[in-house]
Amino acid sequence: MRLLRMGSLGPAVELMQLALNRAGYGELETDGIFGPKTDRALRQFQGKMGLLVDGIAGRDTHRALLPWYTGTAMHRVAAGDTFWKIAERYGTTAEAIEAANPDSQAENLQIGQVLTIPLDFPVVPTTISWCSALVGYCVQGLSARYPFIKTGDIGKSVMGKPLWQLELGSGENKVLYNAEHHANEWITTPLLLKFCEELCAASVKGEKIFDQSAAELLQYANLTLVPAVNPDGLDLATGELQQGEFYKGAVDIANRWPDIPFPTGWKANIRGTDLNLQYPADWERAREIKYAQGVRSPAPQDYVGAAALSAPESRALYDYTLALSPRLTLSLHTQGEEIYWRWGECEPEGARKIGELFAKLSGYTLADPEQAASYAGYKDWFIDRFERPGFTIEAGKGENPLPLSAFDEIYKKVLPILTYGALVT
């Protein structure tokens, strides 16, 4: 997280405001504007935590806010502690503590041992703008609450940010979901992370997700999620990236394309390469088409790059997919409420039937892309390389970036696709 002070703007401020609200320091509007009310709440928090009361959120203040960024606190067991007493103190449940500490026995707590404590709110927020730091906090919080999640990164972005990966489920049916190839389609990131959180919570509680047993789903499937393929672009499109060499480079690119709103129209990675035009599925044909359209150099969208897989983000997902060899992939994009399921004349066995099921459950349209749009995409390459079902889900309707006010309705329609995607192959 960057240093924040009076006058700071953007998603990091929204996240800090949300954290202060979660911690009980006022009812701040999460507007991303660091004004007097936010300053007052932050100073109260700093005083309570024994920090320097300067109204500046730097390293120490962000560290103190970490439980309210990740939804997880750490508790050192004292004499007389039980799961029930600790749960009452933190406003959570003994069951949640037990799930987060599978190696600890409620009846045999050891003085001095450290427990992970899930706090009384969801890890994944759906009412604030996102930034790459928030993706990392959610990965940290989810894996702490649900230790059966394996986390890591599949590579790094241009700016060196991790491309986070979460793996859950012990089954043999390997599936891979990804989101946010395109920067201004960042709403797909919380869609995927909310699904992860609800799936894990339902599994622990013995409940269903959509209409399926969550525990049985995780026994059948091995599910890998890559929630933000383009973290640099995410920060640019949401206004989190506001200065520095990479920002200036993006501004220079945007100035050559004045008809595309900046930064909200930005789809590419930070160097102006469209990551979903980077895969070796007739990449040369994609280049020919985009060059004919006048996109011959880095741009906010539609530049295919210097070569296939020249962007580190697309290369990382390509390499990871090859190593994983999943039976099915889902790529979340926006918008149009459409499901794309084939590549050219290639129709993997079972793909149409699965697509029809997705369409029936979600109300989305099973569609074929225009020929010009059917080259060099991740889904295109996966189908071409593996001859297995791969889908692009165009979530929601409207103009990108879709507003967070539409999140709940979008999630409701995408949830059955995410659920059955792990079960149908």
Side-chain angles (χ1 to χ4, degrees):
M1 285 279 281
R2 58 188 168 95
L3 185 145
L4 304 174
R5 59 182 1 130
M6 183 81 82
S8 294
L9 304 170
V13 177
E14 292 184 51
L15 176 56
M16 186 185 69
Q17 291 168 329
L18 177 64
L20 289 168
N21 288 342
R22 287 170 165 178
Y25 290 85
E27 296 182 358
L28 300 173
E29 183 180 358
T30 53
D31 57 5
I33 302 171
F34 196 138
K37 290 184 179 179
T38 300
D39 179 72
R40 189 180 310 117
L42 181 61
R43 289 174 184 271
Q44 290 174 352
F45 175 82
Q46 290 174 324
K48 182 69 173 179
M49 294 295 166
L51 301 170
L52 176 65
V53 181
D54 59 1
I56 299 174
R59 181 186 61 186
D60 292 342
T61 297
H62 286 313
R63 184 182 295 118
L65 282 166
L66 192 60
W68 296 280
Y69 288 154
T70 65
T72 306
M74 307 307 294
H75 176 83
R76 189 174 296 277
V77 174
D81 272 350
T82 66
F83 277 0
W84 328 111
K85 289 182 179 179
I86 297 170
E88 184 177 8
R89 173 179 173 180
Y90 287 91
T92 186
T93 66
E95 292 76 15
I97 296 174
E98 184 176 13
N101 301 275
D103 296 329
S104 298
Q105 297 178 342
E107 67 278 4
N108 190 32
L109 296 179
Q110 303 297 309
I111 294 175
Q113 78 175 101
V114 177
L115 298 176
T116 300
I117 311 298
L119 301 182
D120 64 340
F121 52 83
V123 171
V124 181
T126 60
T127 59
I128 63 171
S129 302
W130 276 60
C131 57
S132 60
L134 178 52
V135 179
Y137 288 139
C138 286
V139 170
Q140 181 179 343
L142 290 172
S143 61
R145 287 193 181 196
Y146 308 106
F148 53 84
I149 299 177
K150 300 175 184 177
T151 64
D153 66 71
I154 66 169
K156 298 292 192 295
S157 70
V158 169
M159 295 177 66
K161 296 170 185 172
L163 308 184
W164 291 109
Q165 159 253 335
L166 304 94
E167 180 186 348
L168 53 157
S170 57
E172 296 183 359
N173 190 50
K174 289 185 180 181
V175 295
L176 174 59
Y177 297 171
N178 69 78
E180 204 261 325
H181 264 88
H182 290 146
N184 66 352
E185 298 175 8
W186 58 264
I187 199 171
T188 57
T189 294
L191 284 174
L192 204 50
L193 288 171
K194 180 179 175 68
F195 169 70
C196 180
E197 181 165 20
E198 289 198 345
L199 174 60
C200 292
S203 174
V204 166
K205 295 176 182 178
E207 297 176 349
K208 292 183 177 182
I209 185 162
F210 190 58
D211 61 357
Q212 296 295 308
S213 164
E216 291 179 5
L217 185 154
L218 291 177
Q219 290 172 359
Y220 177 77
N222 178 256
L223 178 59
T224 298
L225 312 177
V226 180
V229 177
N230 187 5
D232 302 342
L234 187 162
D235 285 344
L236 182 66
T238 60
E240 176 59 17
L241 183 63
Q242 303 171 5
Q243 59 185 0
E245 174 188 352
F246 288 105
Y247 177 75
K248 291 177 182 177
V251 170
D252 287 343
I253 293 171
N255 286 340
R256 298 196 291 270
W257 301 87
D259 292 338
I260 299 175
F262 182 79
T264 57
W266 192 278
K267 294 173 64 177
N269 77 351
I270 197 64
R271 285 188 173 144
T273 297
D274 191 319
L275 297 180
N276 206 41
L277 288 171
Q278 270 276 286
Y279 295 92
D282 279 356
W283 177 85
E284 293 80 5
R285 178 59 178 148
R287 178 180 59 183
E288 179 183 335
I289 291 168
K290 296 305 179 183
Y291 274 30
Q293 295 172 351
V295 188
R296 296 169 171 263
S297 61
Q301 52 189 256
D302 293 338
Y303 175 57
V304 299
L309 304 175
S310 58
E313 299 92 346
S314 52
R315 182 78 203 201
L317 186 58
Y318 169 89
D319 288 342
Y320 186 77
T321 305
L322 284 177
L324 185 66
S325 188
R327 296 182 181 180
L328 175 146
T329 65
L330 292 179
S331 300
L332 293 184
H333 288 256
T334 59
Q335 42 71 27
E337 296 193 344
E338 294 178 318
I339 301 165
Y340 295 104
W341 61 282
R342 57 187 288 180
W343 181 62
E345 299 302 317
C346 184
E347 298 184 10
E349 183 179 356
R352 180 186 291 273
K353 184 176 180 180
I354 295 170
E356 289 172 347
L357 175 63
F358 288 167
K360 179 180 178 181
L361 293 171
S362 65
Y364 283 14
T365 300
L366 190 63
D368 287 318
E370 296 179 5
Q371 193 67 19
S374 190
Y375 300 108
Y378 175 80
K379 178 264 297 176
D380 308 325
W381 164 73
F382 179 80
I383 293 174
D384 183 49
R385 172 63 177 79
F386 290 95
E387 297 184 357
R388 299 172 189 164
F391 299 89
T392 294
I393 312 300
E394 296 285 357
K397 283 189 174 181
E399 182 177 345
N400 290 330
L402 298 182
L404 282 167
S405 59
F407 181 90
D408 289 345
E409 183 62 24
I410 295 172
Y411 182 74
K412 180 180 178 181
K413 292 183 177 182
V414 170
L415 176 59
I417 296 175
L418 297 174
T419 301
Y420 275 84
L423 297 171
V424 292
T425 58

